[in-house]
Amino acid sequence: MAQWTSAVGAAQLARQLQAQQQRPAGPGSRRPPAYRALADGIRLLVLEGRVAVAARLPAERELALALAVSRTTVAAAYEALRAEGFLESRRGAGSWTAVPAGNPLPARGLEPLPPEALGSMIDLGCASLPAPEPWLTRAVQGALEELPPYAHTHGDYPAGLPALRQMIADRYTADGIPTMPEQIMVTTGAMGAIDAICHLFAGRGERIAVESPSYANILQLMREAGARLVPVAMEEGLGGWDLNRWRQVLRDAAPRLGYVVADFHNPTGALAGEERRRALVDAARSAGTVLVVDETMRELHLDEDVAMPRPVCAFDPAGSTVLTVGSASKAFWAGMRIGWVRAAPDVIRSLVAARAYADMGTPVLEQLAVNWLMRTGGWQEAVRLRREQARENRDALVAAVRRELPEWEFSVPAGGLTLWVRTGGLSGSRLAVAGEGVGVRVPSGPRFGVDGAFEGYVRLPFTVGGPVADEAAQRLAQAARLVGAGGGAGVEAPRTFVA
């Protein structure tokens, strides 16, 4: 049985390698032999996530023709990659990409710092902001006033409180997507929603197509559920989905599920346009793949001129191909663990039935608080405050990083909470270790990839602003100097949580 889960064509790989060669070389750099340059180019594409791990590479003759080099050069490059552990081959099955054990360094994760530690450490691990007061307090007070009738019941609502299901359905309907409350299940955060979907649709060993890079905690959730992740590389910068790659993976790998973030993608910040949304839904429907669309960042458009496209579920209003996941955690507050799923009524019934074995329901008080916010207009006011704070933080962080680390590359997103940064050739994992030593916590790129990709990246959230953003950038620059001088390798810490 072949060990590859996707394939890259000769022409596509040649284009990526040629684009890579257009980057300026460092001062005093020497030109390596042709086979070595080719091997290094392919290895870098794998580590950056441009070429997926376990992707079948073109045959030697095909790639030689596409690159206009000798077959001997390609054969020598493939042999060097095999010796380094970045390529595996089998007679009759071809050659496919890999990542050797221990190289690159494993991804570091970060758990949220306890409040008492925030004075000495700048936490850039979690893309979450403090609660938008006074709306949290008002929502809880409103929920307490409405609690007495529910206190006389058993308190278990596996599908969610009827009032909140109706409120969420009405919001979709107002957005142009007619929705019944029977199409809504309230969950304990977006993670609870996706966990329920994975257990219902993707049993152990099933393939799930995921963006590369993607949201770290969802990738780990799927791994622990026993899924086989099939990465689909994103376009550079804020380009978003590469539809040709998606069509190829849907056709060749036949994944049971596909997981995407269309609105201000975590971590890149990309916003998918309507035509790409329609095309991806059509491709998933044709392949028989269920598309899980994470909308947790949708309301966080930060620039005034952003024209928000219709939700992905607008192109599958019945909810048979698209399962939409929403949440209050990013738009309102991470401590408000309320999420939801929008899908076809029969899918919702199956999710509710399966939920009883792991989770009897979401806390009533928190549901009442979110319902109060949405009913009274408090939600809109709180989200407006959240956008203002995130915008100010984004602008301050961008200015500070550009000043302190001018060699780092990134595109500034028009919304969301994260900046995806290429670190000028430095190891993201080593930066994470060195950063912790100088008082700044930052998650390394491989945390957001599959099997070690994105070693040359870090993710920076819009959670600090003003002088704190300046200080964070200065500490990151200090960590970069340590790593550049050969320090900061450290000892790999246990994998924990990144929000």
Side-chain angles (χ1 to χ4, degrees):
M1 180 180 176
Q3 300 299 305
W4 50 274
T5 57
S6 62
V8 57
Q12 176 187 348
L13 182 57
R15 285 194 301 271
Q16 291 177 287
L17 289 165
Q18 289 162 359
Q20 186 186 75
Q21 290 169 0
Q22 292 171 4
R23 296 178 187 169
S29 59
R30 296 181 178 180
R31 190 177 185 87
Y35 86 90
R36 185 68 260 173
L38 177 56
D40 289 346
I42 294 174
R43 176 171 55 84
L44 185 57
L45 288 173
V46 172
L47 291 178
E48 289 186 345
R50 300 295 98 203
V51 171
V53 176
R56 188 178 187 272
L57 293 186
E60 295 170 1
R61 188 184 303 276
E62 294 176 3
L63 186 56
L65 287 172
L67 292 172
V69 299
S70 70
R71 183 177 177 181
T72 302
T73 296
V74 177
Y78 279 15
E79 182 57 38
L81 290 168
R82 275 190 287 269
E84 296 164 2
F86 285 93
L87 195 69
E88 297 180 10
S89 305
R90 188 187 312 164
R91 185 179 298 276
S95 299
W96 56 92
T97 56
V99 172
N103 185 11
L105 293 175
R108 285 180 61 85
L110 297 173
E111 62 186 354
L113 281 174
E116 62 270 17
L118 292 176
S120 59
M121 182 76 69
I122 299 175
D123 186 8
L124 297 181
C126 294
S128 299
L129 291 164
E133 289 289 24
W135 294 106
L136 174 62
T137 298
R138 292 180 182 177
V140 172
Q141 290 172 342
L144 287 171
E145 292 175 1
E146 297 175 5
L147 182 62
Y150 295 93
H152 293 293
T153 73
H154 49 63
D156 290 333
Y157 296 87
L161 292 185
L164 182 55
R165 296 176 73 194
Q166 182 69 62
M167 181 64 65
I168 295 170
D170 289 346
R171 284 166 57 85
Y172 281 106
T173 300
D175 215 4
I177 306 144
T179 302
M180 304 178 294
E182 290 80 8
Q183 290 179 262
I184 302 295
M185 180 177 83
V186 180
T187 62
T188 308
M191 292 286 287
I194 294 172
D195 181 59
I197 291 169
C198 288
H199 280 89
L200 180 64
F201 283 91
R204 186 165 295 275
E206 290 275 8
R207 289 189 176 98
I208 300 179
V210 296
E211 298 152 325
S212 183
S214 186
Y215 180 34
N217 290 325
I218 295 299
L219 295 181
Q220 189 58 29
L221 182 155
M222 291 173 176
R223 290 188 191 101
E224 293 182 357
R228 298 172 59 189
L229 302 185
V230 183
V232 187
M234 301 278 283
E235 292 184 352
E236 290 281 0
L238 300 177
W241 301 329
D242 185 324
L243 286 175
N244 289 332
R245 288 178 173 171
W246 268 100
R247 291 187 183 102
Q248 183 180 26
V249 166
L250 293 173
R251 180 182 65 247
D252 296 346
R256 185 71 181 90
L257 290 178
Y259 170 75
V260 296
V261 183
D263 302 293
F264 309 118
H265 174 261
N266 186 352
T268 69
L271 175 65
E274 283 206 7
E275 288 309 309
R276 293 197 187 200
R277 295 173 186 231
R278 184 194 305 275
L280 185 57
V281 171
D282 290 345
R285 184 182 293 115
S286 298
T289 297
V290 174
L291 206 58
V292 182
V293 180
D294 189 334
E295 287 189 341
T296 56
M297 296 283 188
R298 179 167 175 81
E299 297 191 67
L300 293 177
H301 40 91
L302 306 184
D303 293 339
E304 298 295 335
D305 58 350
V306 177
M308 288 300 296
R310 286 179 290 171
V312 178
C313 59
F315 306 102
D316 179 52
S320 56
T321 296
V322 175
L323 310 185
T324 302
V325 173
S327 172
S329 64
K330 301 299 184 185
F332 187 73
W333 184 48
M336 189 72 76
R337 305 305 303 161
I338 298 295
W340 54 86
V341 181
R342 181 197 181 277
D346 62 318
V347 173
I348 294 297
R349 287 192 294 271
S350 296
L351 286 169
V352 171
R355 181 183 194 179
Y357 298 101
D359 176 12
M360 290 298 294
T362 303
V364 170
L365 189 63
E366 283 86 339
Q367 291 188 73
L368 288 172
V370 171
N371 188 60
W372 183 92
L373 284 166
M374 291 180 174
R375 189 184 73 246
T376 62
W379 178 271
Q380 289 83 348
E381 288 299 313
V383 171
R384 182 183 59 79
L385 293 174
R386 172 67 76 238
R387 289 180 188 138
E388 290 177 358
Q389 184 179 12
R391 184 187 307 115
E392 292 173 1
N393 288 355
R394 178 198 63 182
D395 295 346
L397 185 65
V398 165
V401 173
R402 282 178 171 164
R403 182 179 63 250
E404 301 293 336
L405 292 150
E407 67 279 12
W408 285 17
E409 303 171 50
F410 54 85
S411 298
V412 181
L417 289 173
T418 57
L419 200 65
W420 185 236
V421 181
R422 191 197 302 267
T423 56
L426 298 178
S427 161
S429 296
R430 285 189 166 89
L431 279 167
V433 177
E436 200 158 327
V438 298
V440 58
R441 305 184 90 204
V442 57
S444 62
R447 188 73 176 86
F448 304 89
V450 176
D451 297 328
F454 304 108
E455 182 57 39
Y457 289 81
V458 293
R459 189 196 73 172
L460 305 180
F462 310 146
T463 52
V464 296
V468 180
D470 293 337
E471 179 64 24
Q474 291 168 13
R475 295 184 188 185
L476 284 172
Q478 184 180 354
R481 288 191 293 270
L482 287 171
V483 173
V491 178
E492 182 64 18
R495 184 185 66 232
T496 46
F497 178 87
V498 176

